[in-house]
Amino acid sequence: MPIYIIASFSLSPTNTFSTKWLSFFASSSFSSPLRLLVTDACIKQRWLTSPKLLHFHLGLVGIGSMAVDFNGGHIAGVVPSLYKDGAGCGACFQIRCKNTTLCTKHGTKVVVTDLNSSNETGIVLSSRAFKAMANKGMRQDILKLGIVDVEYKRVPCDYKKQNLAVRVEEMSQKPNYLAIKFLYQGGQTEIVAVDVAQVDSPNWSYLSRNYGAIWDTSRVPAGPLQLRLLVTAGYDGKWVWARNVFPADWNSGVIYDSGVQITDIAQEGCSPCDDSHWK
């Protein structure tokens, strides 16, 4: 039976910490809560409680069944304030508990793969990610403890030699409708706009965010296709150009290599921010 963790928190800028309560439950039924205390190192100190536990709807951002094995199963669902109408899909967070006897100093890194629609609870961790915060031999102890002091922050995603990938969704209907999602998005950014054009053509058509990580358009150019993405970078934004993504005979259900990767970091307005590497 899979186990999930719900973390309650308030609105909070990216790359910051917040003070919250987290709760733990088994996915098939509500069990006795495990609550974790989370601290805020970016001026915002706040206590919130979760009066009820909510189910973690795996894959609502559009990653679907892939979410189970994504990032080694270290995944999370987040509230709308971090989900950002789907722009937060694929964001990475590092989370650790502050009990050094029980937990490691570096904690674990999770990738956002889901939406937690409650405004009473915040981050939902997979059991694999939750137990990964513990020192060797302490995984069951962290589940039994009941209250743990925790801190988290937004961090860059790093997929090593993996380029940004683009999956053509099964709902696509060639040649009139194209639906895609992005996988392995690096850096600490958000994709806020996507355009498509035939390779070597200056005539771009925009895609709309359907839901979560899914972008679509009914204005599909013929031939091989290129993409350009507007991503947050620095205190502004920048275009990332993938010059030859889809062949003329593209098919639904296929993952294509974009040939590019995003490494930018969007600067946030929090002060002070913790940009150090947790070891």
Side-chain angles (χ1 to χ4, degrees):
M1 179 184 302
I3 295 172
Y4 302 104
I5 309 302
I6 294 183
S8 305
F9 60 85
S10 60
L11 301 182
S12 161
T14 312
N15 199 26
T16 67
F17 306 141
S18 296
T19 301
K20 315 133 177 120
W21 289 98
L22 292 79
S23 301
F24 151 83
F25 70 101
S27 63
S28 62
S29 63
F30 298 135
S31 63
S32 58
L34 169 68
R35 291 186 291 271
L36 296 82
L37 174 65
V38 188
T39 5
D40 185 7
C42 190
I43 310 304
K44 296 203 171 192
Q45 298 287 337
R46 192 171 301 175
W47 291 97
L48 291 176
T49 60
S50 176
K52 62 181 179 178
L53 302 177
L54 300 175
H55 190 71
F56 182 21
H57 300 284
L58 187 62
L60 283 182
V61 302
I63 295 178
S65 60
M66 295 179 62
V68 177
D69 298 317
F70 203 69
N71 191 44
H74 291 207
I75 57 177
V78 297
V79 288
S81 58
L82 295 180
Y83 179 69
K84 302 178 181 178
D85 294 324
C89 299
C92 292
F93 288 87
Q94 192 165 2
I95 182 168
R96 66 183 179 186
C97 80
K98 297 177 69 177
N99 183 331
T100 56
T101 300
L102 182 66
C103 298
T104 65
K105 294 181 179 180
H106 57 79
T108 188
K109 182 187 286 189
V110 297
V111 177
V112 173
T113 63
D114 214 316
L115 168 66
N116 175 26
S117 57
S118 171
N119 59 5
E120 299 168 342
T121 58
I123 296 177
V124 184
L125 293 184
S126 64
S127 59
R128 188 177 299 178
F130 183 73
K131 291 186 290 186
M133 293 188 295
N135 283 315
K136 186 177 181 180
M138 297 285 188
R139 292 191 169 193
Q140 293 306 313
D141 296 277
I142 195 174
L143 294 178
K144 295 177 182 178
L145 189 58
I147 297 178
V148 181
D149 194 13
V150 175
E151 56 189 5
Y152 73 91
K153 62 180 178 178
R154 175 83 183 267
V155 294
C157 298
D158 183 6
Y159 293 104
K160 306 302 180 184
K161 297 181 180 180
Q162 171 74 55
N163 285 333
L164 178 70
V166 189
R167 187 180 192 275
V168 178
E169 296 299 280
E170 281 79 359
M171 68 180 78
S172 298
Q173 298 179 359
K174 191 177 181 179
N176 300 316
Y177 177 69
L178 175 65
I180 62 174
K181 69 183 170 194
F182 296 97
L183 303 171
Y184 311 112
Q185 178 184 338
Q188 190 173 317
T189 65
E190 295 163 3
I191 297 174
V192 294
V194 181
D195 291 343
V196 62
Q198 187 180 100
V199 171
D200 296 328
S201 171
N203 300 316
W204 294 90
S205 298
Y206 69 88
L207 282 76
S208 300
R209 190 185 295 278
N210 185 307
Y211 74 96
I214 308 295
W215 295 80
D216 64 1
T217 181
S218 57
R219 299 173 297 277
V220 186
L225 302 178
Q226 59 179 328
L227 296 173
R228 65 181 182 185
L229 321 174
L230 180 61
V231 302
T232 54
Y235 290 99
D236 201 349
K238 65 177 285 187
W239 286 99
V240 176
W241 188 4
R243 297 173 181 267
N244 197 334
V245 181
F246 303 132
D249 59 347
W250 56 265
N251 289 299
S252 61
V254 178
I255 298 175
Y256 295 94
D257 188 335
S258 71
V260 299
Q261 183 53 280
I262 301 169
T263 58
D264 299 273
I265 295 178
Q267 300 298 318
E268 302 293 337
C270 86
S271 178
C273 289
D274 182 352
D275 297 319
S276 62
H277 179 64
W278 290 353
K279 299 180 180 179

